[in-house]
Amino acid sequence: ALQIPDTVHAVIRARVDRLDPESREVLRLASVIGREFDRGVLERLFLARERLAASLETLARQDLVHQVRVVPEAAYIFKHVLTQAVVYDTLLLSQRKELHAKVGAIIEALYADRLEEHYEALVHHYGNSADAGKAIQYLELAGDKATRLFSLTDARKHYRTAIDLLDDTEGQPERQRKRIDLALKLAAASTYAPSEEQVRILETSLEHARQLGDETRAARATYWIGRTHYILGNMVKALPLFERCIEMAEHLGDEELLALPYNIIGRSCLVTAEYSKGIEYLERGIPMAERLGLLDDSIYSTAYLGTIYGITGDFTRGIHTIEKALDKAASSGNLTRQAHALMQLANVQMIRGSWNESLSAATRGYEIAHKIGDVILAGITLINKGYCLYYLGNLEKGIELLRDGIHRVETTGSSLILTISYALLSEAHAVAGNREDAVNCGKKALELSQFGGKVGESWMYGALATAAALESPPDWETVHEHIGQSHRLATERGERPMLALTHFRHAEILHKKGDLDAAREQLDQAEALFRDMGMDWWSEQAEGLRGRIDSGAPFVWFAPYVDGPPTVAGE
């Protein structure tokens, strides 16, 4: 509500009180319709319809309202919003509720053939009336409309308000079913804006479904509880719920419900670093999603599958798969899908060491994510950009963007990709010689991994090994323990690019230690893997390191460019 000083309130009230009774009544009715009001609505609300024109002329002469439109319908506006507020304030609460209900009914009758244009106005009027049923009806319709237009912030607001109006549903099956359905719509609109509150709303819905014996709604609530935990980054809680959903879907014979958890488990396996399992689930789930027309799951899962191929070293297949997802996303016209596919493309090119290609995809993804207000995707693409700029030679800007991206993701309450993000920042600090920052970021990554986000652990241990080697004198036992962990994890999980990078880092560490023969052995393995996977940029770095070792040049830590920092577009 507007805070109006008493003196201003008194002046406006005095002006209104000096009006003739009919003009004053027209002003009161107009204040309920809104600051801008259609004459057609006002005509049906004002009993002395034949004298409405004269009253509007009086109000215009008094400079209280003025006409803003003649066609397609005549419309007026209060000259000052304070005037509308003061006049509205003169109405008793019961009068307001009654008039808002009347305005809602008039809008329904007047615009029956194009009612969707007026959903938001109907939400306002029935929301301020005593008709909660109508308010819920139009809140849901307005939420559905906002979802179709990808205005997800508005969609969440409408669904959440409708759920609040349905909180008292005990012993009312229809209201319970409606609350469940609204909770599921809210969850779908909150894919990139998760919260623990949504988990609680869904858990209440699951309990309602169980009370009703509604197995289908119970299964869908189970899926979305799991999915919200997934977006929040808690794989430990999410995965058992997805497995349970598969059991329920198989029992119900519901193929759509079966496709959803198959795809989300497959995508989760990227986060949990269970790549073989992820490929198995996605290669089964994607065709189901495509057959059923589940575009979101089809596109997101295809992009994730491409990233899994990339993280295990099959870059050609990975990039081709993600480009298929990007083409589908562009054809659908959905900006969120496009930003997501671009983010995954940036990930794979980044792992490969194709920095400019990755930077280009990340920049395009960030521009879209920023435009649509998707904080998580904006954060992830900033992390991509920061890591690329770092390895292209802009160390300071790279670290700045890595920090900024991580902060943005953290503001959403999600830790979905924070294990690997802190691992990347730890590595950047370690390579830059910032030992304390590298250790702190590595510890943060380790702390986050307890929630099931395992991707990035091999990066983290490699960074911690480099950080330990920065000590003076180095604690070689700790260095070799960390680099050994990085070797072990990358080998066990099939992370061939990371295994190659670990051999490279190990060669650097051994060069610093003075164990040149062992350094060459590690470098041989790194170079063989780089060549096999087409990681050309990294092959150049390995060649440079070998030259330094063989020439007896003094040890220097790896510099993230070959011949000096290049000029980089998109910074």
Side-chain angles (χ1 to χ4, degrees):
L2 287 172
Q3 298 298 314
I4 305 173
D6 290 345
T7 51
V8 174
H9 193 285
V11 169
I12 295 172
R13 183 67 184 268
R15 287 189 68 195
V16 172
D17 286 346
R18 287 195 293 270
L19 294 169
D20 64 88
E22 286 186 349
S23 297
R24 192 162 57 242
E25 177 65 6
V26 167
L27 203 62
R28 290 168 70 242
L29 297 175
S31 76
V32 175
I33 300 169
R35 187 183 179 196
E36 184 176 319
F37 52 94
D38 288 350
R39 178 168 176 162
V41 176
L42 187 58
E43 281 179 347
R44 285 158 179 78
L45 199 61
F46 184 53
L47 295 178
R49 189 175 304 178
E50 69 282 357
R51 293 197 291 279
L52 177 60
S55 293
L56 286 171
E57 287 178 14
T58 298
L59 296 173
R61 283 197 306 273
Q62 293 293 321
D63 210 22
L64 293 169
V65 305
H66 60 87
Q67 191 166 12
V68 291
R69 189 171 62 247
V70 177
V71 292
E73 298 104 0
Y76 294 78
I77 192 170
F78 280 86
K79 184 170 182 181
H80 297 292
V81 68
L82 294 181
T83 303
Q84 182 207 357
V86 169
V87 174
Y88 185 78
D89 193 47
T90 64
L91 296 166
L92 298 174
L93 181 59
S94 59
Q95 291 176 312
R96 293 179 197 171
K97 286 181 179 290
E98 182 182 350
L99 287 170
H100 277 296
K102 287 181 178 179
V103 173
I106 290 168
I107 291 172
E108 287 176 313
L110 268 179
Y111 307 113
D113 57 339
R114 49 191 177 94
L115 206 55
E116 184 174 312
E117 298 173 19
H118 300 274
Y119 285 162
E120 293 77 13
L122 290 163
V123 163
H124 169 71
H125 290 298
Y126 283 120
N128 284 286
S129 75
D131 194 338
K134 284 280 191 178
I136 292 165
Q137 174 188 342
Y138 285 111
L139 281 163
E140 182 175 13
L141 289 169
D144 294 347
K145 173 184 171 182
T147 299
R148 288 193 299 275
L149 297 173
F150 311 123
S151 301
L152 297 183
T153 301
D154 289 337
R156 289 192 292 272
K157 179 183 71 175
H158 293 316
Y159 294 142
R160 185 69 181 85
T161 304
I163 288 167
D164 286 342
L165 292 174
L166 282 163
D167 263 353
D168 183 16
T169 60
E170 196 64 36
Q172 301 176 69
E174 284 306 312
R175 287 172 66 85
Q176 287 181 317
R177 278 188 278 270
K178 177 57 69 178
R179 189 191 187 283
I180 296 167
D181 293 343
L182 286 164
L184 297 177
K185 289 182 176 184
L186 173 64
S190 304
T191 299
Y192 289 101
S195 70
E196 293 293 344
E197 181 187 38
Q198 287 162 27
V199 173
R200 291 190 292 273
I201 290 170
L202 287 163
E203 286 175 339
T204 300
S205 296
L206 177 57
E207 183 56 34
H208 287 323
R210 286 170 175 163
Q211 290 173 11
L212 294 167
D214 191 327
E215 294 182 345
T216 298
R217 283 185 170 89
R220 293 188 179 278
T222 300
Y223 167 77
W224 278 106
I225 294 168
R227 184 153 176 172
T228 306
H229 281 308
Y230 161 78
I231 298 296
L232 286 167
N234 195 326
M235 300 298 113
V236 175
K237 289 184 177 180
L239 289 172
L241 290 164
F242 295 144
E243 297 285 2
R244 172 63 180 144
C245 189
I246 286 176
E247 293 173 6
M248 298 168 83
E250 288 176 339
H251 170 70
L252 290 165
D254 187 329
E255 189 179 21
E256 179 178 336
L257 190 53
L258 190 62
L260 294 172
Y262 256 99
N263 279 285
I264 198 69
I265 288 174
R267 300 202 295 270
S268 300
C269 287
L270 172 60
V271 181
T272 60
E274 299 171 280
Y275 307 119
S276 296
K277 180 180 175 181
I279 291 170
E280 176 188 343
Y281 272 81
L282 289 172
E283 288 183 346
R284 181 174 176 185
I286 291 169
M288 283 195 280
E290 289 175 340
R291 187 167 59 251
L292 294 164
L294 302 174
L295 267 181
D296 271 357
D297 279 87
S298 170
I299 292 168
Y300 296 155
S301 295
T302 301
Y304 265 84
L305 180 59
T307 302
I308 292 177
Y309 289 145
I311 210 169
T312 53
D314 192 345
F315 290 111
T316 301
R317 190 178 185 187
I319 291 167
H320 176 69
T321 302
I322 296 171
E323 286 175 342
K324 282 172 56 180
L326 186 55
D327 287 344
K328 287 184 183 178
S331 297
S332 74
N334 183 307
L335 294 177
T336 302
R337 294 169 187 155
Q338 292 177 56
H340 185 276
L342 286 165
M343 176 264 290
Q344 298 291 7
L345 182 60
N347 283 337
V348 172
Q349 296 284 24
M350 183 182 79
I351 295 166
R352 190 180 195 177
S354 300
W355 305 116
N356 281 311
E357 292 85 347
S358 179
L359 181 61
S360 174
T363 300
R364 288 161 59 202
Y366 173 75
E367 288 169 354
I368 295 172
H370 180 71
K371 177 180 179 180
I372 62 179
D374 194 317
V375 179
I376 290 182
L377 278 176
I380 296 172
T381 46
L382 272 184
I383 291 164
N384 292 141
K385 288 182 66 176
Y387 197 69
C388 291
L389 288 175
Y390 183 89
Y391 274 103
L392 283 165
N394 196 335
L395 279 63
E396 185 176 336
K397 183 66 173 179
I399 289 176
E400 177 189 331
L401 290 186
L402 280 164
R403 285 172 168 161
D404 187 10
I406 288 170
H407 172 70
R408 292 190 190 209
V409 174
E410 287 179 327
T411 62
T412 69
S414 174
S415 61
L416 181 62
I417 50 84
L418 288 183
T419 298
I420 190 168
S421 300
Y422 270 107
L424 296 177
L425 183 55
S426 177
E427 181 192 15
H429 278 305
V431 172
N434 306 328
R435 188 186 68 81
E436 187 175 342
D437 287 333
V439 170
N440 288 337
C441 289
K443 287 180 177 177
K444 183 67 174 178
L446 185 61
E447 175 189 325
L448 288 164
S449 69
Q450 68 182 301
F451 298 108
K454 301 296 184 183
V455 65
E457 284 187 317
S458 48
W459 268 273
M460 173 190 71
Y461 281 112
L464 288 173
T466 303
L470 293 173
E471 293 187 35
S472 185
D475 178 354
W476 293 114
E477 183 177 347
T478 300
V479 171
H480 289 298
E481 180 183 338
H482 286 323
I483 204 71
Q485 278 282 72
S486 184
H487 274 292
R488 181 183 64 80
L489 290 170
T491 302
E492 288 177 356
R493 295 170 179 176
E495 296 173 347
R496 294 177 69 235
M498 190 58 222
L499 180 60
L501 293 174
T502 301
H503 284 305
F504 179 88
R505 295 291 181 210
H506 199 176
E508 275 200 307
I509 287 167
L510 290 166
H511 182 206
K512 176 177 172 64
K513 191 178 181 182
D515 193 344
L516 302 188
D517 287 339
R520 290 187 184 95
E521 288 178 10
Q522 291 294 327
L523 201 52
D524 287 343
Q525 295 180 71
E527 285 182 305
L529 285 165
F530 289 149
R531 283 195 302 272
D532 184 55
M533 290 181 286
M535 297 175 69
D536 296 338
W537 188 88
W538 281 105
S539 291
E540 291 179 16
Q541 312 316 306
E543 185 180 340
L545 177 56
R546 186 176 294 279
R548 293 195 295 275
I549 292 172
D550 290 345
S551 67
F555 171 81
V556 292
W557 280 111
F558 167 75
Y561 38 83
V562 182
D563 299 314
T567 301
V568 181
E571 295 184 17

